[in-house]
Amino acid sequence: MKHLIDPTDLSKEEIDQIIALAQDIIAHRERYQGSMAHKKLATLFYEPSTRTRLSFTAAMMELGGQVLGFSNPQNSSAAKGETVQDTVRVLGCFADIIAMRHPIEGAPLVASEVSRVPIINAGDGSHSHPTQTLTDLLTIKRELGHIDDITIGFCGDLRFGRTVHSLIKALSRYHGIKVVLIAPDELRLPDYIKLDVCEKMGVAYRETDSLDEAIPELDVLYMTRVQKERFLDEDEFDRVKDSFVLDARRMALAKPKMAVLHPLPRVNEILTEVDEDPRAAYFRQVENGKLVRMALIISLMEWKNDPEHTMPEHEAPIVNPALHCTNAKCICNNEKHQPRFRLAENGIMRCWYCDSKVR
Ligand code: NCD
C-alpha cells in the first residue's frame, strides 16, 4: 500500500504518472466520472482550510465517490483526547482512503503507521504539503510545457511555508533546476531543506532579499503568504508581514513567459492588479489542484494491493532516550510516540517525524 506523507514517498516515475493521468483526465473527463463509484474518502481536517479540503471533496465527487469527515476538530473525538492513530483506525472502518490536515508535524506519518487504508497528508504544520506539490508540478507543466531546466524563485515565507519545502524536495529530482530563495533574514528556508535536499541532490540555489534583483531571470515565481499562525512572536510577524509585494511594476521586469504561482490564500503579497496579467497562473493552479487530486485518488486506490507500488525503504530509525526533538509542534512532543531520529547530511541528527534538530 502507498501513503502520501512526504513528496518523496512517490518516486519521480510515480509523480510523472500522476501528472500524466491528470492530463488525461483533462482531455477525457467523461471516462473517469464513475471510477470511484461506491468508494468513500474521509477528510480529517484539524486545521482551517478552504481550497485543499474542498478540492479533495470536489475531486472525489467528480469521480463518482462519496466524502465524509470533519473540518473542525472540536466536532471530532480529538476534542475528547483521542489520538490521531486511534482516529484513523476507526475511520479506516468507514472509508477507503483518508486525507488528513493537522497543525502538529508528523501527525499524518504516525497515522499512516497504523492505517489500513491509504493516508494522504493534506498539510502538517509548517512541515510538508505534498498534494500542493503535485498541484504546483502540474501547473508548471501546463504553463511552461516542461518541469526540467527551469529557474524558480520562491518568495516570502520560506521558513514556515510548507508548500515551499515540499515543492523543492520534489523539484530536486528533476533536471537542471535552479532555485532562487527570496526572503528576509527571519523567513529563510530551513537548513534541513538546504542541506538534505538542495546540497545533497545538487540543486543550484542562491539566497537574496531583493525580488527586483531576482525577477528578471525567473521562469516561475512562487509567491507565498507570511504564515501568521506559525509565529510564536507577534512583533516578529508585524516586522515581516509585508516583506514582498508583487505588483505591475515588478511584473514589467519579468520574462514575457514567466508563470506566477501562489498556493493561496493570498493576503497582500500579490496586488489584484496582477490578476489580469496572462502570466498570473494562481487561479488556474486551483483548478489543477482538483484535477491532480483526482489522479492521485485513482492512483493510490489502484496501488493499494500492488506490490510494485509500496512505501520507499528507509534506514531503521534511531532510538536513544538521551535525545529530544526541539520542535514543540512535533507529534512526539504532543502525543505519546517514542522519539525517533535519523542521521542526515553532515552527520546532523534530525527528528524522524518533523526533521527538526535534536537536543
Ligand atoms: C497553503 C497551506 O495550507 O499551506 N494553502 C493551501 O494549501 N492551498 C498555503 C497557505 O496557507 O499560505
Side-chain angles (χ1 to χ4, degrees):
M1 185 163 60
K2 192 103 189 163
H3 307 283
L4 177 57
I5 308 302
D6 183 272
T8 57
D9 291 335
L10 298 171
S11 66
K12 179 168 180 289
E13 291 66 38
E14 287 168 336
I15 288 187
D16 288 337
Q17 223 174 305
I18 292 169
I19 290 173
L21 178 57
Q23 291 185 297
D24 198 61
I25 293 173
I26 295 166
H28 309 284
R29 286 269 176 124
E30 65 301 338
R31 283 190 200 160
Y32 295 90
Q33 268 163 10
S35 60
M36 286 296 127
H38 312 296
K39 299 285 181 211
K40 292 191 263 332
L41 164 75
T43 55
L44 313 187
F45 276 61
Y46 296 80
E47 189 181 70
S49 163
T50 319
R51 82 219 75 239
T52 305
R53 187 172 61 81
L54 295 181
S55 165
F56 271 111
T57 303
M60 192 60 172
M61 287 165 76
E62 272 212 44
L63 297 171
Q66 286 170 329
V67 185
L68 65 161
F70 56 83
S71 56
N72 177 351
Q74 290 313 318
N75 299 338
S76 82
S77 282
K80 301 181 188 167
E82 185 172 57
T83 63
V84 166
Q85 288 198 329
D86 280 1
T87 303
V88 301
R89 280 192 180 103
V90 170
L91 263 294
C93 303
F94 306 152
D96 303 282
I97 183 163
I98 294 175
M100 171 188 285
R101 167 169 290 194
H102 209 292
I104 298 298
E105 301 180 16
L109 175 61
V110 299
S112 70
E113 289 171 351
V114 298
S115 180
R116 66 185 203 191
V117 301
I119 301 279
I120 302 171
N121 177 5
D124 63 324
S126 353
H127 189 221
S128 291
H129 195 346
T131 64
Q132 183 64 45
T133 297
L134 295 174
T135 304
D136 302 338
L137 293 173
L138 175 62
T139 305
I140 295 172
K141 180 91 191 243
R142 293 186 78 186
E143 296 292 319
L144 301 182
H146 58 96
I147 301 174
D148 291 308
D149 301 310
I150 56 166
T151 299
I152 176 165
F154 289 94
C155 180
D157 189 347
L158 314 189
R159 177 174 166 202
F160 295 117
R162 56 194 173 191
T163 64
V164 173
H165 308 160
S166 289
L167 182 54
I168 294 179
K169 273 193 181 175
L171 284 173
S172 73
R173 299 192 291 187
Y174 287 81
H175 177 264
I177 302 295
K178 285 194 196 137
V179 170
V180 186
L181 303 167
I182 309 153
D185 272 353
E186 295 90 333
L187 297 181
R188 287 188 178 208
L189 193 70
D191 269 2
Y192 85 91
I193 303 280
K194 282 189 225 160
L195 287 173
D196 300 3
V197 181
C198 295
E199 291 186 13
K200 182 172 173 192
M201 303 295 285
V203 177
Y205 74 94
R206 71 183 179 87
E207 298 188 279
T208 171
D209 57 9
S210 164
L211 179 54
D212 282 4
E213 175 262 313
I215 203 168
E217 69 177 296
L218 305 178
D219 302 304
V220 177
L221 172 58
Y222 195 96
M223 294 297 294
T224 61
R225 171 179 74 89
V226 178
Q227 306 278 300
K228 181 176 185 187
E229 66 277 27
R230 315 269 178 228
F231 279 77
L232 297 175
D233 174 354
E234 202 155 318
D235 290 343
E236 193 182 357
F237 170 74
D238 285 336
R239 259 199 318 278
V240 293
K241 67 177 190 227
D242 293 322
S243 286
F244 298 102
V245 177
L246 185 64
D247 55 10
R249 180 192 70 78
R250 285 185 158 134
M251 287 300 286
L253 306 172
K255 287 183 184 173
K257 287 263 178 240
M258 182 187 77
V260 183
L261 273 63
H262 189 310
L264 304 181
R266 79 169 141 191
V267 185
N268 41 17
E269 57 280 352
I270 303 180
L271 297 191
T272 51
E273 66 188 26
V274 179
D275 296 357
E276 297 312 312
D277 190 306
R279 296 168 290 182
Y282 32 91
F283 292 118
R284 294 190 287 277
Q285 193 178 352
V286 177
E287 163 108 64
N288 291 334
K290 181 188 71 178
L291 295 161
V292 95
R293 288 181 176 99
M294 291 166 76
L296 175 68
I297 292 169
I298 294 173
S299 304
L300 293 181
M301 292 297 290
E302 263 178 29
W303 297 344
K304 222 170 172 174
N305 298 313
D306 183 346
E308 296 281 304
H309 296 279
T310 53
M311 293 299 274
E313 302 247 333
H314 293 292
E315 277 182 31
I318 297 166
V319 176
N320 179 343
L323 301 177
H324 301 277
C325 167
T326 53
N327 178 5
K329 294 192 169 171
C330 175
I331 192 76
C332 72
N333 290 321
N334 286 272
E335 288 188 1
K336 289 195 184 70
H337 296 285
Q338 182 181 53
R340 291 190 253 160
F341 307 96
R342 65 182 175 84
L343 205 53
E345 289 301 281
N346 293 1
I348 297 173
M349 192 78 83
R350 296 199 184 278
C351 174
W352 179 262
Y353 304 101
C354 74
D355 293 300
S356 294
K357 278 199 185 134
V358 165
R359 177 164 44 81

